[in-house]
Amino acid sequence: MWGIVIYCVSVLGLTFVHSVEIVNVVVDDYAKTECQGTHVGFGFSGGHQFHYEALKRRYKDCTYVEGNLEITNLVNSANITYDLSFLSQIEVVTGYVLIGLLDVDHIPLTSLRFIRADNTYNIMGEEYGLVLALTAEADGKEFQKENSTDGEQEIYRHGLVELQLPSLKEISKGKVLFYKNPMLCFVNTVNWHAIVPGRDEPVNYGDDAYRFDCPLECDSACRFGDDIAHCWGLNPLMCQRHEVPVWCHQDCPGRCYDSYILGCCHPECAIGCYGPRDTDCELCKYFKHEGRCVSSCPAGISYRKGQECIRL
């Protein structure tokens, strides 16, 4: 008999309660490009193995997530060998991205380019498009302690070390939040202004936001024009590359292709552009119809598949 599992978690002083009905979902075997996201926050159904298998079924072969991408409750104490490579093909998320209550060492969202954040994650009046929280020993046994010459020291045994988002170019709405990620490196090596345009302070750092004394450094290949290394991880494939101007003219509503003149991208563009037209976009913010970026697919003559408008 199916039931309801309720989980509570406290983040930044707030308690979030999520109840999720356990249902039997049948997923087709054919390869897919679009999948439906979730809206359960830090909650999950059944045991950890059930939850992990459900994530794999939902996101395997997925490139376009309609809704929120919530990667949570993946803990080493469950004695599960996690293979998260099924996340590596995701390119676009239309809602927010939530990563938390886990202690795996990396999340391979290596193809994720665009978080549109039509839905944002709201905490204490702030809206977030990307949230990283509670990523070390998430099963409640957060740390072990050992004696050192400096006194008692907290030693985390498992936790997220690398975000691995080298393709991420834009979060359209909301800020980024880091909270309780004591093993996470390569946070201050990312140029967040390039990803969250139009905000003076794109990131909020809570308690133990990341590992401030991380001994790991970017590969030398990640040093570009400003001679400052920007990266998401140790591997040279984790370099953060700036392919569009970070600072645009004040009259530009979004991205631009030239920061010295009024070189604004078309409003239907995401990530960047090569000129002012809706055909010059590096990626469409919503949909693409016959080479043009549009806010919706023409009714009656086409249907949507991911971001593509397919003619009937």
Side-chain angles (χ1 to χ4, degrees):
M1 179 177 179
W2 301 111
I4 295 178
V5 179
I6 299 177
Y7 287 86
C8 302
V9 63
S10 179
V11 178
L12 296 178
L14 296 180
T15 299
F16 298 87
V17 179
H18 300 282
S19 61
V20 185
E21 184 178 4
I22 303 174
V23 295
N24 186 20
V25 179
V26 178
V27 179
D28 293 333
D29 291 332
Y30 61 81
K32 58 184 178 179
T33 59
E34 180 177 343
C35 55
Q36 292 296 315
T38 56
H39 195 75
V40 297
F42 289 98
F44 75 104
S45 301
H48 286 95
Q49 183 71 47
F50 181 93
H51 174 64
Y52 168 56
E53 296 296 336
L55 285 175
K56 285 200 297 183
R57 289 194 301 270
R58 181 180 294 274
Y59 295 118
K60 186 177 184 297
D61 301 316
C62 179
T63 60
Y64 180 92
V65 178
E66 179 67 34
N68 311 313
L69 177 61
E70 298 172 323
I71 307 300
T72 66
N73 295 285
L74 303 174
V75 296
N76 280 282
S77 61
N79 295 319
I80 300 170
T81 301
Y82 294 109
D83 178 3
L84 303 181
S85 59
F86 61 88
L87 297 171
S88 64
Q89 297 184 52
I90 296 173
E91 298 179 8
V92 175
V93 177
T94 68
Y96 60 75
V97 174
L98 170 65
I99 299 172
L101 276 180
L102 48 79
D103 53 29
V104 294
D105 60 5
H106 70 283
I107 302 291
L109 288 166
T110 50
S111 298
L112 181 59
R113 305 173 67 195
F114 180 40
I115 301 173
R116 200 164 75 206
D118 292 344
N119 306 314
T120 53
Y121 198 92
N122 300 309
I123 301 176
M124 299 180 67
E126 287 276 14
E127 296 185 349
Y128 297 99
L130 173 63
V131 175
L132 275 294
L134 305 167
T135 61
E137 290 289 347
D139 62 348
K141 295 179 293 185
E142 290 191 355
F143 51 79
Q144 62 184 9
K145 295 185 177 182
E146 64 178 23
N147 293 323
S148 68
T149 56
D150 299 325
E152 204 171 51
Q153 184 179 7
E154 296 177 351
I155 305 297
Y156 290 83
R157 292 170 290 182
H158 302 289
L160 187 65
V161 177
E162 294 187 7
L163 266 181
Q164 296 195 356
L165 293 167
S167 301
L168 184 61
K169 297 295 191 297
E170 182 175 329
I171 301 172
S172 284
K173 298 177 184 176
K175 293 184 176 182
V176 179
L177 173 66
F178 291 96
Y179 175 75
K180 293 289 185 182
N181 307 295
M183 295 187 68
L184 183 60
C185 296
F186 306 108
V187 171
N188 58 344
T189 58
V190 174
N191 185 343
W192 292 102
H193 286 284
I195 296 172
V196 188
R199 289 186 177 272
D200 293 333
E201 297 182 2
V203 182
N204 280 353
Y205 298 102
D207 296 341
D208 290 327
Y210 61 94
R211 185 175 177 181
F212 295 94
D213 63 343
C214 180
L216 307 178
E217 297 182 353
C218 296
D219 190 271
S220 59
C222 299
R223 295 185 181 276
F224 300 107
D226 56 6
D227 200 37
I228 299 175
H230 296 289
C231 71
W232 298 89
L234 274 175
N235 194 295
L237 295 176
M238 291 295 117
C239 294
Q240 181 190 21
R241 302 180 185 277
H242 309 309
E243 299 169 354
V244 297
V246 175
W247 303 108
C248 297
H249 191 280
Q250 62 182 3
D251 291 338
C252 289
R255 295 291 191 179
C256 59
Y257 58 92
D258 193 329
S259 57
Y260 297 101
I261 61 173
L262 190 55
C264 303
C265 293
H266 192 277
E268 292 298 330
C269 293
I271 293 178
C273 65
Y274 313 104
R277 298 168 298 183
D278 59 6
T279 56
D280 297 328
C281 303
E282 184 174 343
L283 182 73
C284 293
K285 181 174 290 187
Y286 296 100
F287 309 109
K288 189 173 186 178
H289 175 62
E290 296 181 346
R292 296 175 51 243
C293 290
V294 295
S295 58
S296 61
C297 294
I301 64 170
S302 65
Y303 66 95
R304 182 181 65 80
K305 183 179 181 182
Q307 286 193 284
E308 294 289 332
C309 299
I310 309 297
R311 182 171 288 276
L312 295 172

